C-alpha cells in the first residue's frame, strides 16, 4: 500500500545561518487539552502490459523557447500522486532521459519521492541558503517541490518562517495536474442521502491536511458543526481522530469495525457536560489505495465528498525559490512547457499514460506501472458489502488548464478562491497554529505561465478541461445545501451594501466545486403569498445574475438554476422578528445531474 504524504509541517528544521531551528506549528498533531465550541467552518479504460497502443510523440508546441541551463540538474521532490504524471513523462526517467521532452527543452531534473511536507520545507531552506550565499547552481536542498494546492496557506506560512532570515521566498509557478476523486472523505453510505447524519461522526484524519479539508468543506457546505478538539466528542458535530499517517487512519477504522473504540469526554456548545461516552471511529479521510483497503476490509462506506465534487480544490502545485527562478526564467518556463506538452500526450494516448506510470512506479518505488495507470483515470469497484465505490481519479494539466486555473486571459482566478477558502478554514478552526494567511499574491506567481502563453500561441488558444453543464439535465441528488443571509432592500430584489461581503464569501465557497448550482429564494409570511413567491423568484435570479457577472467563467448560465418558494418553506416560526429574518434567505444547493 502506498503511504499518503504527511503534510504535518511539524518539527520542521532548516539550516538557517548555521543553526537548526523549528519552524511552524501549523499542522502540529498534538494540542493542549482545551475545550472550544464546535463551529461550522466558514470508469475508464486503462493501458495494460502488452497493450498494442503506440506511444505518440508529443508535439513541441513551444519549440521556439530558448534553451535553459541544460547541464544543471534540479532536484525535484514529488508526492506519490498520479496528478504528477505529466512531469514524470516529460522527464522520461527518475533522472532526465536523453531523448525526453525535458532534455529537448534543455532542462534536467532529478525526481525524488518525498511524503512529508516538513521535509520539503527543510530541503527548500537548504536550497535557499545556497542561493543567499550566491551559489548559481545549488547542490544542496531541493529546487522544486510539488504539494496539494489547497495546503498552500499552511505550507507558505511554514516556508516563510524558514526562509525569511535568508531574505528568500517560495512561489507557486503552476499546476501539474489535479486530484479528481482520488482524495475523499469516507463515511457510512447513509450519509450520502442525508448529510446531517454526519453529525456525531468520528473520522480518522491527518489534521489540517488536504483530505481533512474535504471533510471540513463538506461540513461547512451542509452547516454541520466541527469539533476541532480531537480529544473530546460532540454528538452534534463532526469529530476527528488525529493521526500521523493516512495508513494509521485506515487501520484505526478497521480496528474500530472490530470493536476497538475509545472513551471521550462529551462536550456541547463548547462546554464539558460531565458525561463520557464510548465512541467508535466510523469514517476516514484518505486516498487511493487507502480507500481500496477500507472497501475490501470494512465496506458499507461511501465517498460522501471528494475532489470529484470539489474539483478545483487540489491542484498539484509546483513550488520553487523566488530569487533563483527570477535568475533562471528560461529554466522555469521550459520545465513547465515540457510538463504541459507531456500532459497533452497523456490525455491523448493510453500508451503515453503507461509510459508516465512506468516513471511514477520507479520514482515512488512501489506498485507497478499498470497499477498507477489504473488509478490515474479511476475505476468503480465493489466493496466487501457489494456497494459500488469509485477509486482513484487524477488528471494532468496543460498550458490551457493553467491559464484557466490562475485567472489568466480573462478567466476567474479559481486558485485564488481555493487559497482563500482553505486558508480561511485553517485559520477559523486553529487560530493559534494559523494566525495569519499570507496574501495570495505573495506566494503565487503566474507570470511564468503567462509568458509561456505569449510564446506558444497554439497551446494558449487550446481549450481547458472544464465541466460541461446541461441546463435541462434533471437533478439526481443534492450534494450539499446551505442557507445564506443575503440582505435585500425591503420588498425589492436589489442588494443592500452589507450583502456584498456575504455574496463574495458565497462565491468563493461555491466556486471550488464543479457541480450544478441551484439558487432558491425564500421569504417570511408577511404580505400576500403570491407577491412573496414573485419576490423570492426575483431575488434568486438576482443572486444567479451576480454570480455570473462576477465570475462568468466559473458560473456559465447553464450551471446556475433558480427556484422560488416564497413563504412555503420556513425554517423558523414567523411569529418573531428573529424567525422572520431566518426565513428571508437564499439557499444554495450543489446538485448532481444526469
Amino acid at each position: 500500500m502506498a503511504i499518503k504524504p504527511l503534510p504535518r509541517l511539524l518539527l520542521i528544521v532548516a539550516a538557517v545561518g548555521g543553526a537548526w531551528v523549528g519552524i511552524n506549528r501549523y499542522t502540529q498533531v498534538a494540542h493542549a487539552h482545551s475545550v472550544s465550541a464546535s463551529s461550522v467552518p466558514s470508469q475508464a479504460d486503462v493501458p495494460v502490459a502488452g497493450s498494442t497502443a503506440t506511444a505518440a510523440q508529443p508535439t513541441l508546441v513551444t519549440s521556439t523557447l530558448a534553451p535553459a541551463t541544460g547541464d544543471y540538474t534540479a532536484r525535484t521532490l514529488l508526492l506519490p500522486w498520479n496528478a504528477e504524471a505529466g512531469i514524470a513523462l516529460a522527464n522520461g526517467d527518475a533522472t532526465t532521459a536523453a531523448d525526453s521532452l525535458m532534455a529537448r527543452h534543455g532542462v534536467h531534473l532529478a525526481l525524488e519521492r518525498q511524503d512529508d511536507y516538513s521535509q520539503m520545507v527543510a530541503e527548500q531552506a537548504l536550497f535557499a541558503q545556497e542561493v543567499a550565499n550566491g551559489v548559481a547552481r545549488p547542490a544542496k536542498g531541493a529546487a522544486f517541490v510539488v504539494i496539494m494546492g489547497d495546503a498552500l496557506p499552511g505550507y507558505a506560512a511554514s516556508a516563510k518562517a524558514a526562509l525569511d532570515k535568508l531574505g528568500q521566498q517560495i512561489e507557486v509557478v503552476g499546476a501539474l495536474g489535479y486530484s479528481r476523486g482520488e482524495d475523499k472523505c469516507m463515511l457510512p453510505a447513509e450519509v450520502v442521502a442525508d448529510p446531517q447524519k454526519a453529525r456525531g461522526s468520528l473520522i480518522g484524519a491527518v489534521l489540517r491536511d488536504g483530505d481533512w479539508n474535504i471533510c471540513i468543506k463538506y461540513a461547512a457546505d451542509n452547516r454541520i458543526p466541527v469539533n476541532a478538539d480531537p480529544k473530546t466528542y460532540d454528538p452534534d458535530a463532526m469529530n476527528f481522530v488525529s493521526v500521523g499517517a493516512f495508513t494509521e487512519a485506515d487501520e484505526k477504522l478497521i480496528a474500530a469495525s472490530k470493536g476497538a473504540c475509545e472513551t471521550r469526554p462529551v462536550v456541547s456548545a463548547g462546554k464539558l457536560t460531565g458525561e463520557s461516552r464510548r465512541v467508535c471511529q466510523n469514517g476516514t479521510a484518505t486516498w487511493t489505495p487507502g480507500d481500496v483497503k477500507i472497501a475490501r476490509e470494512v465496506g458499507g462506506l461511501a465517498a460522501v465528498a471528494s475532489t470529484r465534487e470539489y474539483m478545483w480544490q487540489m491542484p498539484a502545485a509546483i513550488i520553487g525559490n523566488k530569487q533563483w527562478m527570477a535568475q533562471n526564467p528560461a529554466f522555469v518556463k521550459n520545465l513547465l512547457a515540457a510538463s504541459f506538452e507531456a500532459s497533452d500526450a497523456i490525455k491523448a494516448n493510453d500508451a503515453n499514460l503507461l509510459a508516465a506510470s512506468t516513471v511514477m512506479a520507479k520514482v515512488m518505488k512501489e506498485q507497478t506501472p499498470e497499477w498507477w495507470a489504473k488509478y490515474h483515470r479511476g475505476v468503480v469497484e465493489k466493496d466487501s458489502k457489494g456497494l459500488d465505490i469509485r477509486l482513484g481519479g487524477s488528471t494532468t494539466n496543460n498550458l490551457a488548464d493553467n491559464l484557466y486555473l490562475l485567472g489568466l486571459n480573462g478567466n476567474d482566478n479559481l486558485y485564488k478562491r481555493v487559497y482563500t477558502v482553505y486558508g480561511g478554514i485553517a485559520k477559523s478552526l486553529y487560530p493559534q497554529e494559523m494566525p495569519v494567511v499570507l496574501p495570495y499574491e505573495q506566494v503565487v506567481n503566474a507570470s511564468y505561465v503567462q509568458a509561456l502563453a505569449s510564446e506558444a500561441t497554439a497551446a494558449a488558444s487550446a481549450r481547458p478541461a472544464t465541466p460541461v453543464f446541461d441546463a435541462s439535465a434533471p437533478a439526481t441528488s443534492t450534494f450539499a445545501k446551505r442557507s445564506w443571509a443575503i440582505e435585500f432592500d425591503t420588498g425589492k430584489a436589489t442588494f443592500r451594501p452589507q450583502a456584498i461581503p456575504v455574496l463574495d464569501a458565497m462565491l468563493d465557497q461555491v466556486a471550488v466545486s464543479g457541480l450544478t448550482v441551484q439558487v432558491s429564494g425564500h421569504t417570511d409570511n408577511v404580505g400576500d403569498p403570491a407577491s412573496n413567491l414573485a419576490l423570492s423568484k426575483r431575488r434568486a435570479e438576482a443572486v444567479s445574475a451576480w454570480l455570473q457577472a462576477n465570475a462568468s467563467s466559473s458560473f456559465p448560465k447553464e450551471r446556475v438554476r433558480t427556484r422560488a418558494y416564497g413563504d412555503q418553506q420556513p425554517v423558523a416560526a414567523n411569529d418573531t422578528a428573529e424567525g422572520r429574518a431566518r426565513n428571508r434567505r437564499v439557499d444554495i444547493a450543489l446538485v448532481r445531474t444526469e
Side-chain angles (χ1 to χ4, degrees):
M1 176 184 291
I3 299 174
K4 182 67 175 182
L6 309 179
R8 291 166 289 159
L9 304 186
L10 86 160
L11 301 179
I12 304 171
V13 290
V16 180
W20 292 89
V21 295
I23 295 173
N24 191 282
R25 299 181 301 152
Y26 168 63
T27 55
Q28 194 170 357
V29 174
H31 297 280
H33 184 56
S34 59
V35 179
S36 58
S38 302
S39 60
V40 178
S42 334
Q43 175 98 359
D45 295 331
V46 298
V48 296
S51 170
T52 58
T54 302
Q57 183 72 4
T59 301
L60 281 174
V61 296
T62 55
S63 57
T64 58
L65 286 175
T69 51
D71 59 343
Y72 174 63
T73 299
R75 188 161 166 253
T76 303
L77 307 181
L78 304 181
L79 303 172
W81 183 17
N82 258 318
E84 301 153 331
I87 196 172
L89 178 62
N91 215 45
D93 205 334
T95 300
T96 304
D99 60 348
S100 66
L101 278 169
M102 285 294 178
R104 291 159 68 185
H105 276 300
V107 172
H108 288 78
L109 305 177
L111 305 180
E112 297 180 18
R113 172 176 174 166
Q114 179 50 252
D115 292 23
D116 193 330
Y117 282 13
S118 63
Q119 187 60 35
M120 286 184 174
V121 172
E123 295 284 0
Q124 289 202 288
L126 288 171
F127 187 90
Q129 179 73 75
E130 293 263 270
V131 176
N133 289 340
V135 179
R137 299 181 178 187
K140 297 179 181 179
F144 297 97
V145 303
V146 180
I147 72 167
M148 294 180 286
D150 57 319
L152 179 60
Y155 189 94
S158 293
K160 176 178 171 59
L163 274 60
D164 260 1
K165 293 180 181 180
L166 300 169
Q168 303 284 300
Q169 295 173 259
I170 57 99
E171 284 182 335
V172 170
V173 293
L176 302 178
Y178 293 105
S179 172
R180 289 282 167 81
E182 188 165 336
D183 295 79
K184 52 182 64 75
C185 183
M186 298 181 72
L187 283 168
E190 63 182 6
V191 177
V192 174
D194 183 2
Q196 296 305 314
K197 290 185 177 180
R199 293 174 184 260
S201 58
L202 185 58
I203 304 168
V206 178
L207 301 185
R208 295 171 293 282
D209 169 74
D211 293 354
W212 173 88
N213 269 336
I214 295 171
C215 297
I216 298 297
K217 184 69 169 69
Y218 180 73
D221 284 345
N222 285 288
R223 303 303 292 171
I224 298 167
V226 169
N227 178 14
D229 182 359
K231 295 182 179 180
T232 61
Y233 178 75
D234 186 337
D236 194 46
M238 182 180 283
N239 303 270
F240 290 92
V241 175
S242 177
V243 299
F246 283 76
T247 49
E248 183 184 354
D250 300 332
E251 293 296 340
K252 282 181 175 289
L253 178 58
I254 293 168
S257 71
K258 299 175 181 178
C261 303
E262 61 180 293
T263 299
R264 291 189 177 190
V266 175
V267 296
S268 178
K271 297 183 181 297
L272 289 167
T273 64
E275 173 192 0
S276 292
R277 186 177 302 188
R278 182 172 171 80
V279 292
C280 303
Q281 182 179 330
N282 68 340
T284 184
T286 191
W287 81 306
T288 305
D291 54 355
V292 178
K293 185 176 181 68
I294 293 302
R296 292 175 179 174
E297 298 194 30
V298 179
L301 274 70
V304 299
S306 74
T307 49
R308 186 173 175 86
E309 291 84 18
Y310 296 126
M311 64 181 301
W312 306 111
Q313 172 184 338
M314 206 173 286
I318 183 165
I319 302 175
N321 178 283
K322 176 179 180 177
Q323 285 72 22
W324 186 85
M325 292 190 298
Q327 296 166 9
N328 298 275
F331 195 103
V332 181
K333 288 191 296 181
N334 287 21
L335 184 162
L336 294 174
S339 299
F340 297 163
E341 290 160 21
S343 170
D344 280 327
I346 290 169
K347 292 179 180 182
N349 187 292
D350 277 353
N352 289 326
L353 173 57
L354 186 58
S357 298
T358 300
V359 179
M360 292 291 292
K362 183 174 183 179
V363 173
M364 304 310 164
K365 299 180 180 179
E366 68 172 296
Q367 304 295 349
T368 65
E370 290 78 13
W371 185 93
W372 288 96
K374 173 182 179 179
Y375 289 110
H376 180 97
R377 291 187 174 157
V379 295
V380 174
E381 297 180 353
K382 295 286 187 183
D383 72 7
S384 63
K385 296 185 179 178
L387 298 179
D388 287 338
I389 187 163
R390 185 177 295 275
L391 307 170
S394 285
T395 65
T396 56
N397 280 359
N398 60 17
L399 178 56
D401 295 321
N402 273 263
L403 293 171
Y404 186 83
L405 172 68
L406 296 171
L408 303 174
N409 293 0
N411 297 308
D412 181 34
N413 191 336
L414 276 167
Y415 194 32
K416 186 173 184 178
R417 298 196 187 284
V418 167
Y419 186 84
T420 300
V421 167
Y422 293 100
I425 285 174
K427 187 175 185 298
S428 67
L429 288 177
Y430 297 99
Q432 291 185 338
E433 292 86 350
M434 187 74 175
V436 175
V437 178
L438 297 175
Y440 170 86
E441 290 75 15
Q442 285 187 17
V443 293
V444 178
N445 183 355
S447 67
Y448 295 101
V449 169
Q450 185 70 80
L452 192 59
S454 68
E455 299 169 19
T457 55
S461 63
R463 183 177 179 82
T466 58
V468 176
F469 298 97
D470 180 357
S472 63
T476 57
S477 63
T478 298
F479 170 72
K481 182 179 178 181
R482 179 173 176 175
S483 296
W484 294 83
I486 300 170
E487 295 193 37
F488 295 88
D489 291 321
T490 303
K492 300 179 180 179
T494 52
F495 302 116
R496 291 184 177 179
Q498 53 266 47
I500 303 305
V502 178
L503 288 164
D504 285 335
M506 179 190 70
L507 195 161
D508 284 340
Q509 296 290 335
V510 177
V512 300
S513 85
L515 297 175
T516 293
V517 178
Q518 182 171 297
V519 183
S520 300
H522 302 267
T523 68
D524 58 27
N525 68 348
V526 176
D528 175 70
S531 298
N532 286 338
L533 182 64
L535 178 60
S536 68
K537 181 176 187 296
R538 294 198 307 273
R539 287 180 171 175
E541 290 172 344
V543 172
S544 173
W546 193 91
L547 290 172
Q548 294 173 57
N550 286 273
S552 59
S553 62
S554 292
F555 296 96
K557 62 180 181 180
E558 296 84 6
R559 182 183 182 189
V560 186
R561 305 175 179 189
T562 59
R563 299 288 185 272
Y565 295 95
D567 55 17
Q568 297 305 300
Q569 294 186 358
V571 293
N574 277 301
D575 54 3
T576 67
E578 180 182 0
R580 290 190 295 273
R582 289 183 59 194
N583 291 330
R584 296 190 298 269
R585 70 192 192 278
V586 172
D587 288 344
I588 301 294
L590 301 176
V591 300
R592 300 182 180 93
T593 60
E594 289 184 352

